[in-house]
Amino acid sequence: MSSSMKQISQVIKEALSRLKPTIINNDDEHTKARDKKSHANLDEISNENNIKGEEKSDVEIIYTSTPHWPFQTLPARDPYHDEHQKRHSMPIRILVLDSSFNPPTKAHLALASIALRSLITQSEDRSGDSSGVEDGGREDNRSHDAHLLLLSVTNADKRLKAGDATYEQRLEMMYLTTKEMEERATIERSKRNDGESEGRGAGTVVSSSSLGNVAVAAIDEPTFVGKSQKLRETISKRLQSLVDDAPGAISPTTDFRLELYFVLGFDTVTRLFDPKFYNDSEDQMRRALDRFFNLAREGGDNSYVICARRTLSKE
């Protein structure tokens, strides 16, 4: 095992040991037994790492390709907005691929690498300037800012079974998938630069800036509505920490507008709209989904769903 893999393996063990093992509330005794078996792996890891006394967490960001993820680069101050004390918003768009990764496949890699260019106009229309907060004027020549590969240790519909890869193994494989994404980004940048030098223009090749800006995280939450809320809280704290660590780099009048784009297969999308996963209550489902899709300034999570086709285009 390489030194980098040894290092990430230790990070994974420590991160998993901090996650809160949660048993899904279910009346079926067989399901309860399977849930407990699913979390036995986490309890074993906690014991091995001897950190039972440490505070548990719901979300653990295990790896980021850059220290300032989800920023591609730290945004510069805007003298105009500083001088006039005029608030402006900056969208931070993250594509989230949440899967069991048992194991990661080429389909996972394709889904994690898709572009969201076609959704930018819809996003801007949906989060328009009705609040009086100006857009930061960022040129949206790229679809989104960052990627996130997410593994839930509490699945609403799947349980660990004999022969399955452990959470540690899956996260290690997810880390290797990010290395493939970063390599692809390097190749795409090279192609883009070659295109520019030959006079074909920068738009010839899809921008790869976000493809190499990727993170791996684990979460203890079975539902997408809950994942959206917990991710928003964790990433918002991370954004604030990055701003605090770079005093003077970002305008104090900047409001970050976090947008999460969940890439889901068709089967998973049907579960998102199934009352079964909301205590068999359609009213509870509607309230939860209203918060999931509504704008942040309206008390929502400003999250989106992308339903992936089974057959991906070769383009």
Side-chain angles (χ1 to χ4, degrees), residues 197-227:
S197 64
E198 294 176 17
R200 295 197 296 268
T204 304
V205 178
V206 175
S207 173
S208 59
S209 54
S210 70
L211 182 59
N213 189 28
V214 59
V216 172
I219 188 170
D220 184 36
E221 170 57 46
T223 68
F224 281 100
V225 172
K227 290 170 187 175

Side-chain angles (χ1 to χ4, degrees), residues 5-218:
M5 278 305 300
K6 287 180 180 178
Q7 183 177 7
I8 197 68
S9 294
Q10 183 60 33
V11 171
I12 288 170
K13 285 184 178 182
E14 293 175 358
L16 287 175
S17 67
R18 287 188 294 269
L19 284 175
K20 297 175 180 177
T22 302
I23 303 300
I24 298 174
N25 185 17
N26 194 302
D27 293 332
D28 180 62
E29 292 301 323
H30 180 61
T31 302
K32 284 183 178 180
R34 288 191 302 177
D35 287 340
K36 290 179 180 178
K37 182 178 180 181
S38 297
H39 285 284
N41 177 239
L42 296 183
D43 291 333
E44 181 181 347
I45 291 171
S46 293
N47 292 334
E48 286 179 358
N49 284 275
N50 265 334
I51 61 172
K52 281 189 172 181
E54 286 194 9
E55 183 178 352
K56 299 289 186 178
S57 67
D58 290 314
V59 181
E60 286 288 329
I61 297 178
I62 291 165
Y63 169 78
T64 61
S65 57
T66 63
H68 41 261
W69 184 94
F71 294 123
Q72 294 184 32
T73 57
L74 287 176
R77 294 183 71 102
D78 187 323
Y80 171 80
H81 290 100
D82 281 356
E83 180 180 354
H84 297 276
Q85 290 296 299
K86 195 174 183 66
R87 302 208 68 80
H88 62 290
S89 68
M90 175 179 292
I92 304 293
R93 304 185 178 101
I94 303 175
L95 185 147
V96 181
L97 179 59
D98 176 28
S99 179
S100 59
F101 296 102
N102 186 32
T105 65
K106 289 184 178 179
H108 287 115
L109 181 60
L111 289 173
S113 305
I114 65 173
L116 301 177
R117 287 174 177 271
S118 62
L119 300 178
I120 289 299
T121 300
Q122 299 174 30
S123 171
E124 289 304 314
D125 289 344
R126 179 177 162 190
S127 49
D129 189 22
S130 61
S131 66
V133 179
E134 285 193 355
D135 192 281
R138 187 192 74 175
E139 293 185 11
D140 283 316
N141 59 350
R142 59 192 175 202
S143 58
H144 51 287
D145 299 278
H147 300 250
L148 176 64
L149 305 185
L150 182 68
L151 174 69
S152 177
V153 298
T154 308
N155 195 297
D157 207 38
K158 296 179 181 179
R159 309 292 186 272
L160 285 177
K161 56 183 181 294
D164 283 348
T166 65
Y167 296 131
E168 290 177 77
Q169 292 169 333
R170 297 184 200 192
L171 288 164
E172 288 172 354
M173 290 187 286
M174 291 163 66
Y175 165 74
L176 293 175
T177 300
T178 68
K179 297 288 104 179
E180 175 72 16
M181 294 172 67
E182 292 171 39
E183 183 177 350
R184 285 191 176 192
T186 300
I187 293 173
E188 290 300 319
R189 277 194 295 269
S190 177
K191 288 181 179 179
R192 183 180 60 190
N193 293 336
D194 288 345
E196 290 175 345
S197 64
E198 294 176 17
R200 295 197 296 268
T204 304
V205 178
V206 175
S207 173
S208 59
S209 54
S210 70
L211 182 59
N213 189 28
V214 59
V216 172

